[in-house]
Amino acid sequence: MNLPETTIERLSLYRRVLLSYKYFEKPYVFSHDLARAIKVKPVQVRKDLMLIGFTGSTSNGYSVVKLIEQIDKSLKFRNVQKVALVGLSTIGGATELYLGSDENAFDIVACFLMHEETRSVKMDYPVYGIEKIPEIVKDQEITIAVLAMPPEFAQNICDILIMSGIKAILNLCSTILEVPENILVKDIDFITYLEKMSFLSNPNVKR
Amino acid sequence: MNLPETTIERLSLYRRVLLSYKYFEKPYVFSHDLARAIKVKPVQVRKDLMLIGFTGSTSNGYSVVKLIEQIDKSLKFRNVQKVALVGLSTIGGATELYLGSDENAFDIVACFLMHEETRSVKMDYPVYGIEKIPEIVKDQEITIAVLAMPPEFAQNICDILIMSGIKAILNLCSTILEVPENILVKDIDFITYLEKMSFLSNPNVKR
DNA sequence: TAGATTGTTAATCGATTAACAATC
DNA sequence: TAGATTGTTAATCGATTAACAATC
């Protein structure tokens, strides 16, 4: 089953909304409930659920518990991947943004920092120097890395991560990384986003 | 002139590549140079430049200096917008990721933190408690905010930012914000991205 | 000239959404 | 039944890219 990437992203969002429904013991949702929660159209929700082969009823809508199960199965969320944070800013961020929740379909298991002095930071995750990357990544079978550091170090650390067995990189450095084609990279370029917002929020630009 | 959002993002990337060309005093680029640098096809580059009405020559390609000027003009980069960071993790990130460079088309002028104890952090930008948001945002005419904090605080702080005059929010909290329709929000949801990578890097999933 | 490159149209691709039959 | 909702096809929309004439 080959899901569009946009659908995969929305399934992750639906799932979190559904988990809060489950928490409040609401047994059913309609497509317009999910749609409102993540700001899309109800037909989009139904199309997405169609793609993972999930069906509801015209009277009650969708079963919350069963839909969570179906999303978990479709996105293989039983097979939780291990994540390493690389770079100081990722750590505060991960803690502050609640990336460590055990409801997420990934598990942050290690941090790697560049500078000797920063290793004293007290954290929710074990903190190592970057020279430990090969050992820890291999031992723990970490597959995903979040990369945040000054751009001039990014390619070098990226190479080390890949040699150590990392399969996917969430790249927060505003740098284009050179990687083998079997490695997945998602670039989050804050400079680009801020410049785009700068342009779009200019009162002279009508949208 | 109404530019597609994808083109706006690429123009920001081209611009940074061009700045490095300028730094090394390379006077001209071909479309395939820019294409390789940001990993798109040359025809994409030519199409983008066509949209901002910039032309090159078949012999030399494009003038680096003139193209930077044209992008700056098209994206109104002379009118630099002021940015506030809200939440601890944004600060380390901004410093580490070099968001403070004066070559960018935005200017980080303030940080706001939630917790009393964190205000002692030594930073590149002035640091205030969140209760100062209305005063500082108005006085300094800050238009863009980067929001990173535990999700349960996000909507409240978002409301305060908007009341204070913020026009655009880069939202790093994994929360859907309710905002008036004239406010621009870009969501960067790390949970979604990590779950998507978790799925896509699963060896059972063929792409 | 031959070869490389630009500029631009038309075709294609991928995703969203309108429309509507089927269901409860 | 009437009304709300689901499931699905076909139309639409937006962005990328193939194709190719024009230029140097």
Side-chain angles (χ1 to χ4, degrees):
Chain A
M1 185 175 43
N2 227 350
L3 297 170
E5 297 213 358
T6 48
T7 295
I8 295 168
E9 292 180 8
R10 283 189 299 267
L11 287 171
S12 164
L13 293 170
Y14 299 145
R15 182 175 176 275
R16 264 175 285 157
V17 175
L18 289 163
L19 285 170
S20 76
Y21 267 78
K22 187 182 172 189
Y23 179 79
F24 289 111
E25 295 179 353
K26 274 212 70 182
Y28 292 96
V29 267
F30 292 117
S31 60
H32 59 252
D33 297 321
L34 286 173
R36 189 162 23 79
I38 77 160
K39 306 219 176 201
V40 297
K41 305 241 160 82
V43 64
Q44 181 74 272
V45 175
R46 296 200 297 278
K47 182 74 184 268
D48 287 333
L49 301 193
M50 194 191 97
L51 291 173
I52 61 167
F54 191 78
T55 57
S57 84
T58 55
S59 39
N60 299 320
Y62 305 95
S63 156
V64 169
V65 170
K66 284 190 180 156
L67 181 47
I68 293 171
E69 277 171 17
Q70 183 64 36
I71 292 176
D72 282 357
K73 212 171 128 196
S74 303
L75 299 187
K76 312 223 167 29
F77 276 177
R78 305 253 174 79
N79 185 5
V80 167
Q81 305 281 306
K82 292 187 184 173
V83 175
L85 307 176
V86 188
L88 178 59
S89 69
T90 54
I91 297 188
T95 310
E96 204 167 15
L97 299 171
Y98 282 73
L99 301 183
S101 158
D102 58 7
E103 286 185 329
N104 299 330
F106 56 88
D107 194 11
I108 299 175
V109 298
C111 296
F112 299 99
L113 299 184
M114 307 277 294
H115 307 299
E116 201 64 46
E117 70 266 33
T118 55
R119 293 186 206 163
S120 57
V121 192
K122 51 159 182 33
M123 291 313 314
D124 296 358
Y125 321 101
V127 176
Y128 310 93
I130 46 157
E131 75 281 358
K132 290 278 190 183
I133 288 175
E135 180 188 333
I136 305 288
V137 168
K138 272 174 209 145
D139 281 3
Q140 304 226 21
E141 298 184 326
I142 300 172
T143 52
I144 302 175
V146 182
L147 196 62
M149 55 185 49
E152 63 267 33
F153 302 117
Q155 183 63 56
N156 183 19
I157 303 296
C158 167
D159 294 342
I160 294 170
L161 287 165
I162 291 169
M163 280 193 324
S164 307
I166 287 284
K167 295 295 173 218
I169 296 173
L170 189 59
N171 174 31
L172 309 186
C173 317
S174 296
T175 307
I176 310 277
L177 298 171
E178 291 296 327
V179 299
E181 63 172 79
N182 62 325
I183 303 294
L184 183 71
V185 175
K186 167 75 182 172
D187 294 300
I188 309 228
D189 189 322
F190 288 107
I191 295 176
T192 293
Y193 289 136
L194 286 171
E195 292 191 336
K196 182 174 151 189
M197 299 193 101
S198 177
F199 173 69
L200 290 175
S201 66
N202 191 308
N204 306 328
V205 179
K206 53 179 166 301
R207 280 182 285 146
Chain B
M1 185 173 45
N2 227 351
L3 296 171
E5 297 214 358
T6 47
T7 295
I8 296 168
E9 292 180 9
R10 284 189 298 267
L11 287 171
S12 163
L13 294 170
Y14 298 145
R15 181 175 176 274
R16 263 175 285 158
V17 175
L18 290 162
L19 286 169
S20 76
Y21 267 78
K22 187 182 172 190
Y23 179 79
F24 289 112
E25 295 179 354
K26 275 211 70 183
Y28 291 96
V29 265
F30 293 117
S31 59
H32 59 252
D33 297 321
L34 286 173
R36 189 163 21 80
I38 78 160
K39 305 219 176 202
V40 297
K41 306 241 161 80
V43 65
Q44 182 74 271
V45 175
R46 295 201 297 276
K47 182 75 186 267
D48 288 333
L49 301 194
M50 194 191 96
L51 291 173
I52 61 168
F54 191 78
T55 56
S57 83
T58 55
S59 39
N60 299 319
Y62 304 95
S63 156
V64 170
V65 170
K66 284 190 180 155
L67 180 48
I68 293 171
E69 278 171 15
Q70 182 64 37
I71 292 175
D72 282 357
K73 212 171 128 197
S74 303
L75 297 188
K76 312 224 168 27
F77 276 177
R78 306 251 173 80
N79 185 4
V80 167
Q81 305 280 307
K82 292 187 183 172
V83 175
L85 307 176
V86 188
L88 178 59
S89 69
T90 55
I91 298 188
T95 310
E96 203 165 17
L97 299 171
Y98 282 73
L99 301 183
S101 158
D102 58 6
E103 286 184 328
N104 299 331
F106 57 86
D107 194 11
I108 299 175
V109 299
C111 297
F112 299 98
L113 299 183
M114 306 277 293
H115 307 299
E116 201 65 46
E117 69 267 34
T118 55
R119 294 188 206 162
S120 56
V121 192
K122 52 156 181 32
M123 292 313 312
D124 296 358
Y125 321 101
V127 176
Y128 309 93
I130 46 155
E131 75 281 358
K132 289 279 189 184
I133 287 175
E135 179 188 332
I136 305 288
V137 167
K138 272 175 210 147
D139 282 3
Q140 303 226 22
E141 297 185 326
I142 300 171
T143 53
I144 301 175
V146 182
L147 197 62
M149 56 185 49
E152 63 267 33
F153 301 118
Q155 183 64 55
N156 183 19
I157 304 294
C158 167
D159 295 343
I160 294 171
L161 287 164
I162 292 169
M163 280 193 324
S164 308
I166 286 284
K167 297 294 173 219
I169 296 173
L170 189 59
N171 175 31
L172 309 186
C173 318
S174 297
T175 307
I176 310 277
L177 298 171
E178 292 295 326
V179 299
E181 62 173 78
N182 63 325
I183 303 294
L184 183 72
V185 176
K186 168 74 183 174
D187 294 301
I188 309 230
D189 189 322
F190 288 107
I191 296 176
T192 292
Y193 289 136
L194 286 171
E195 291 191 336
K196 182 174 150 188
M197 298 193 102
S198 177
F199 173 69
L200 291 175
S201 67
N202 191 309
N204 306 329
V205 179
K206 55 179 165 301
R207 279 180 287 147

